[in-house]
Amino acid sequence: MGVTADAETIHVHGTKQMPDVLFELRGLRVVIEGKFEDVSTAEQIVMNDARKRVKSGLAHIAAAIVYPKKLRAIPTAKLLEMLSSAELKYCIVAENNESNWFEGSPASLMDALRRAQESLTEDDIVERTARALSARLEGVAELWMGQAGACDRLSGLLGISIPKKETSQNALARRETSAKVSALVLANAFIFEEQLAATDKRIRPLAKLEKDSKLVQATSDHWKWIWESINYVPIFQLGESILDELPASKNTSIAVKALLVEAREICNQQAALRHDLMGRIYHWLLHDAKYLGTYYTSVSAATLLLKLALAADWKQDFGDPSELANFKVADLACGTGTLLMATAQAFWTSIFVRARRTADRLKPMIYRLSIKR
């Protein structure tokens, strides 16, 4: 079908870690997960496997396939011929959507995968999510702009200094920047809280927090408890401090609830969270960086730089999780952490997966990327 695909080879029994088939299609990773139709709940099994591959970031697109039972008994020498005309049942799972179930030949499946690839490259889910969040931040900033004292306090909290002889126009621009960045910090903390709630029962999910009649105070109290009792100080301590600087008012309550609702929507787009969404938004907020006196590396430039750097021969086995865990990366001029995020993305989406695939590793693909940002 015009692609070079690696198929899983089972040498030992145990929990399957490798996808059935893995290949690249015009720069995007595609995974195929299949079962024979005589397997109980075959459709549900392959759908769950396909969704997991996309959710984990292993694949941009995954195909869930149910093979005809008759292919089980076909001699290997005749399998290719029989498979080419076989009627497969398949569903395509991509970062931006899922298709219905279809029936067709492998050629039809390949056409569906190419359409999914074209759709995914045209529909930038990160860009859409960034635009939606940006619009929400604009609205929140408008609510806060009339509270000059609060915006000035937020400026101090964020390290945006107030010049001694500041013109009224510059003061307005500074307060707007402070309001937007503060809103972004709150949105980021809400998103992180929701992600933590999925694995830690002590963390309140946003749906439950939203129902609290004293939302702002409840949020501040919960974030304080998280950074004091668990961790994640840079996220939740700053978020709590921002909430404490906002005056008790209807506008504050409306703004915080709006950010919480937007965070819930973003969490439904897990694909966007695998990329440096917050870095992209933060750069957009600081397109006029006069108050911080610096220039920020764009997300696209950082991604390109790191993929080029890591394409060199490092004389290390990046397919070995233990070696990868001991590999040190330093951003000596760290600002928003975009280069560090690009490093993590390049390791996982390119270097690690390619090394595992090339070496045909069958040991469990268990990994953890620890980023001190």
Side-chain angles (χ1 to χ4, degrees), residues 107-121:
S108 299
L109 168 63
M110 199 66 216
D111 287 340
L113 289 172
R114 289 193 175 98
R115 287 194 298 270
Q117 186 272 345
E118 291 171 0
S119 172
L120 196 56
T121 53

Side-chain angles (χ1 to χ4, degrees), residues 276 280 283 297-307 338-339 342:
D276 191 10
R280 186 174 298 194
H283 292 181
T297 308
S298 69
V299 174
S300 55
T303 301
L304 177 61
L305 285 169
L306 266 299
K307 286 196 174 184
T338 297
L339 287 170

Side-chain angles (χ1 to χ4, degrees), residues 169-360:
Q169 184 177 0
N170 286 344
L172 187 64
R174 173 183 52 75
R175 287 165 183 157
E176 182 181 8
T177 297
S178 298
K180 288 179 180 178
V181 174
S182 296
L184 176 62
V185 170
L186 297 183
N188 185 56
F190 276 131
I191 292 170
F192 202 69
E193 178 182 349
E194 186 75 350
Q195 300 304 300
L196 290 176
T199 56
D200 191 333
K201 65 180 182 180
R202 298 172 296 174
I203 307 296
R204 297 179 69 180
L206 297 185
K208 187 174 182 180
L209 186 62
E210 185 181 0
K211 296 176 182 178
D212 200 300
S213 58
K214 297 180 179 179
L215 175 61
V216 178
Q217 188 59 51
T219 301
S220 178
D221 292 343
H222 192 48
W223 287 355
K224 182 179 177 63
W225 178 83
I226 292 175
W227 72 260
E228 286 185 341
S229 305
I230 303 178
N231 205 328
Y232 315 109
V233 175
I235 295 174
F236 294 110
Q237 187 181 55
L238 181 57
E240 181 211 349
S241 298
I242 288 173
L243 289 176
D244 291 346
E245 294 295 348
L246 298 174
S249 67
K250 186 176 181 180
N251 280 352
T252 296
S253 299
I254 292 174
V256 172
K257 186 169 184 178
L259 292 171
L260 183 151
V261 171
E262 189 65 32
R264 288 186 64 190
E265 289 297 317
I266 291 174
C267 289
N268 288 327
Q269 303 287 345
Q270 287 293 315
L273 295 178
R274 282 198 297 277
H275 304 276
D276 191 10
L277 173 64
M278 291 307 167
R280 186 174 298 194
I281 294 289
Y282 193 65
H283 292 181
W284 174 81
L285 292 178
L286 296 176
H287 54 83
D288 183 359
K290 68 173 68 173
Y291 301 111
L292 298 180
T294 188
Y295 176 77
Y296 295 95
T297 308
S298 69
V299 174
S300 55
T303 301
L304 177 61
L305 285 169
L306 266 299
K307 286 196 174 184
L308 288 173
L310 293 173
D313 184 6
W314 288 84
K315 306 298 182 184
Q316 284 194 253
D317 181 5
F318 287 130
D320 184 342
S322 61
E323 284 203 33
L324 187 61
N326 293 324
F327 190 77
K328 299 295 188 297
V329 177
D331 181 356
L332 303 181
C334 184
T336 61
T338 297
L339 287 170
L340 292 177
M341 291 295 292
T343 304
Q345 191 75 359
F347 266 123
W348 169 235
T349 61
S350 300
I351 310 303
F352 181 62
V353 173
R354 186 179 297 115
R356 300 286 300 193
R357 184 181 67 183
T358 302
D360 192 24

Side-chain angles (χ1 to χ4, degrees), residues 126-202:
V126 181
E127 189 65 31
R128 284 194 292 109
T129 306
R131 283 200 301 268
L133 180 55
S134 297
R136 183 71 71 182
L137 298 178
E138 291 272 11
V140 169
E142 288 182 8
L143 287 175
W144 290 348
M145 283 298 292
Q147 303 169 337
C151 289
D152 287 344
R153 291 193 299 273
L154 292 175
S155 293
L157 190 61
L158 296 171
I160 301 177
S161 59
I162 303 176
K164 293 181 178 180
K165 296 182 179 180
E166 185 179 44
T167 66
S168 58
Q169 184 177 0
N170 286 344
L172 187 64
R174 173 183 52 75
R175 287 165 183 157
E176 182 181 8
T177 297
S178 298
K180 288 179 180 178
V181 174
S182 296
L184 176 62
V185 170
L186 297 183
N188 185 56
F190 276 131
I191 292 170
F192 202 69
E193 178 182 349
E194 186 75 350
Q195 300 304 300
L196 290 176
T199 56
D200 191 333
K201 65 180 182 180
R202 298 172 296 174

